[in-house]
Amino acid sequence: MAAGSFLRGLLRRPTAVAGLLVIAAVVVAALFAPLLAPYAPDDQMFDGLSLEGAPLPPSAQFLLGTDTLGRDLLSRLVFGARTSLLIGLVANGTAVMIGLFVGVMAGYLGGFAGAALMRFTDLMTAFPALLLAIVLAALLKPSLWIVALVIAMVNWVQVARIAYTETRSLVERDFILAERAMGAGPARILGLHILPHLVPTAIVWGTLGIATTVLLEATLSFLGIGVQPPEPSWGNIVFESQSYFESAPWLVFFPGAAILATALAFNLVGDALRDLLDPTQRGRG
C-alpha cells in the first residue's frame, strides 16, 4: 500500500482524524511541558488554597483549579502527560518486541522448542495481567522505569500469540520451502520473508497497546504502586485526590478525562490502522 493512498485512507476516517488530533495534543504537551505549563508542577502556592486550606476550583488564575497542596492542576496534568506517554511508548514498545521475538521463534523453530515457548506464553496468560503487575510492582521499588518494565512483562503475550500464528502459516508457504531448499539460512528467511510480513501487525498492536498501557499505568499509580509522587502522572493525581471527590470533583474529573481521551484516541487510530493494513479488511465499509 503506497504511502500516499495510506495517508488518504487514514484521513478519510473522521474517528481516526479525531484520535490523531488528541494524540498530537498529548505529544505537544509532553514535549513542551516546561513552556506550556503556567507553573512548575511541584510549586505549592499560598494563594492556591482557600482560607480554610481547601483546594480552589477552576478560575482565571488556575484554569483547572488547584490540588490539596495548592499546586496548579493544569501544570501537573501537562507534566503528567510526559510521564504517561513515556511509559506508554517504552512499555508497549518493549512488550511488542518481546512478543514478536517469542512468537516468531516459537513459530519458526516448531517442535519441542516452539511448544515450550508457547506453553510459557500460556502460563503467563493464565495470570490476570493486573494482579501480576501489582505483584511485580510490589516486589520491585516503584519508579518510572520499573513501572514501564512491569507493564511490558505482562503485555507481551497477546503479541506473541499473533506472531506465532502468522509465523506458522508463513513457514509452510512454498516460497519459504523453496528458500530452504536453495540453502537459505534462518537469518535470511526471518529477515527477508517473515519479519516484513509482521510489520503491519506490530504497528497495529503497537498503537492499540499504548491505550492499554496508559490505562494500566494509571491503575497502578491509582493503587499507589506506580509512578511515585512528587513526579506527576495522571494516575497518581487521581490517587492523591480520591478522598476529595465530593468536595473537589475537578481533581478527579480532569485527570480521568485525560486518561479516557488518550486511551480512546489510540484505540481509534489503532482500529483505523488495522483496517488499512489488514488485506482482508480493505474494501470493506
Side-chain angles (χ1 to χ4, degrees):
M1 193 176 192
S5 60
F6 172 81
L7 183 59
R8 286 193 296 272
L10 189 63
L11 295 178
R12 279 199 296 265
R13 300 167 184 266
T15 55
V17 173
L20 286 173
L21 291 175
V22 173
I23 292 171
V26 174
V27 171
V28 169
L31 292 177
F32 302 103
L35 299 177
L36 296 176
Y39 304 95
D42 298 328
D43 279 354
Q44 300 181 29
M45 294 166 283
F46 292 110
D47 57 350
L49 295 172
S50 68
L51 296 177
E52 294 78 19
L56 297 178
S59 64
Q61 182 180 2
F62 305 108
L63 295 180
L64 299 184
T66 61
D67 67 4
T68 56
L69 297 178
R71 298 173 297 189
D72 180 56
L73 182 59
L74 175 59
S75 300
R76 291 187 62 76
L77 286 181
V78 170
F79 276 89
R82 173 179 292 183
T83 302
S84 297
L85 187 63
L86 180 62
I87 288 182
L89 293 174
V90 172
N92 196 59
T94 304
V96 169
M97 288 191 292
I98 295 174
L100 282 176
F101 176 79
V102 173
V104 169
M105 287 297 99
Y108 182 79
L109 295 175
F112 175 79
L117 286 172
M118 292 315 296
R119 297 298 76 76
F120 175 69
T121 303
D122 293 338
L123 178 64
M124 293 296 294
T125 308
F127 289 98
L130 179 58
L131 180 60
L132 182 59
I134 291 174
V135 171
L136 291 173
L139 292 176
L140 302 171
K141 183 179 180 181
S143 68
L144 189 149
W145 300 111
I146 292 297
V147 171
L149 176 63
V150 166
I151 294 174
M153 290 173 65
V154 301
N155 273 358
W156 61 268
V157 291
Q158 294 86 356
V159 181
R161 285 180 167 278
I162 294 176
Y164 171 77
T165 302
E166 294 194 16
T167 303
R168 288 306 302 167
S169 67
L170 286 171
V171 296
E172 297 172 357
R173 301 275 183 89
D174 291 339
F175 68 91
I176 297 292
L177 298 178
E179 283 280 344
R180 283 178 169 171
M182 294 172 61
R188 176 181 174 84
I189 294 174
L190 291 172
L192 294 182
H193 300 293
I194 293 180
L195 290 178
H197 283 83
L198 295 176
V199 169
T201 299
I203 292 174
V204 171
W205 276 93
T207 306
L208 290 172
I210 291 177
T212 304
T213 302
V214 169
L215 290 173
L216 186 53
E217 181 277 325
T219 302
L220 292 176
S221 296
F222 175 76
L223 295 174
I225 52 176
V227 178
Q228 297 299 296
E231 185 169 7
S233 81
W234 294 338
N236 68 25
I237 292 174
V238 176
F239 171 72
E240 293 173 348
S241 310
Q242 57 181 316
S243 59
Y244 291 82
F245 177 73
E246 293 185 359
S247 60
W250 61 89
L251 294 179
V252 176
F253 173 78
F254 288 121
I259 295 169
L260 176 62
T262 303
L264 179 60
F266 277 107
N267 275 326
L268 292 175
V269 174
D271 286 339
L273 290 176
R274 180 184 58 197
D275 293 342
L276 291 170
L277 295 173
D278 185 355
T280 63
Q281 299 290 329
R282 294 176 193 165
R284 297 185 180 180

